[in-house]
Amino acid sequence: MNVKDQLDRLINLIEISADLENSEKIQETEKEISMSFQELKVDLFNQTETQKNLIEEKLKKLKVLLEKLNNKQDAKKNFLDDFNNFLKNRKIN
């Protein structure tokens, strides 16, 4: 698989994971993302300058997706922290 195809696969996996709610599916997808990333990292290291320029657009899209996923995770964490604080501060009569 060439680098462009690997990037497409990685982007697709990240897009899928951003919409998942099932923890088992999330874990499966995260494993696939990790394996795909490791393969991509090796191949990117061996790219020529011309090839690197051709995949720059895909890398920008990947960056946007990762930021979106990170924001989603932060939102979930903040919600759970707020809920946890609410439960701690709640007085039961």
Side-chain angles (χ1 to χ4, degrees):
M1 190 179 311
N2 65 35
V3 172
K4 187 175 178 186
D5 291 339
Q6 288 175 317
L7 276 170
D8 286 338
R9 179 172 164 29
L10 189 57
I11 288 169
N12 186 45
L13 287 169
I14 292 171
E15 286 175 332
I16 289 169
S17 72
D19 296 328
L20 290 175
E21 297 297 329
N22 181 323
S23 63
E24 290 176 20
K25 289 286 188 183
I26 291 172
Q27 287 178 347
E28 279 179 36
T29 306
E30 286 175 349
K31 286 178 187 176
E32 286 183 60
I33 290 170
S34 180
M35 290 178 1
S36 293
F37 176 72
Q38 293 304 321
E39 293 170 5
L40 177 63
K41 189 167 69 170
V42 169
D43 289 343
L44 279 175
F45 184 74
N46 296 321
Q47 294 295 301
T48 65
E49 198 61 37
T50 304
Q51 291 168 320
K52 287 179 184 176
N53 291 335
L54 293 174
I55 58 172
E56 187 173 332
E57 184 178 323
K58 298 254 185 227
L59 291 174
K60 287 179 184 176
K61 183 175 182 178
L62 183 58
K63 179 182 176 187
V64 169
L65 285 171
L66 290 173
E67 288 172 354
K68 177 183 172 186
L69 189 59
N70 187 43
N71 291 339
K72 180 180 176 184
Q73 294 301 324
D74 285 345
K76 284 183 179 180
K77 181 185 179 300
N78 290 338
F79 171 77
L80 291 175
D81 286 344
D82 290 345
F83 187 68
N84 190 32
N85 288 336
F86 169 77
L87 291 176
K88 285 181 184 176
N89 296 326
R90 181 89 173 137
K91 292 183 180 179
I92 299 176
N93 293 330

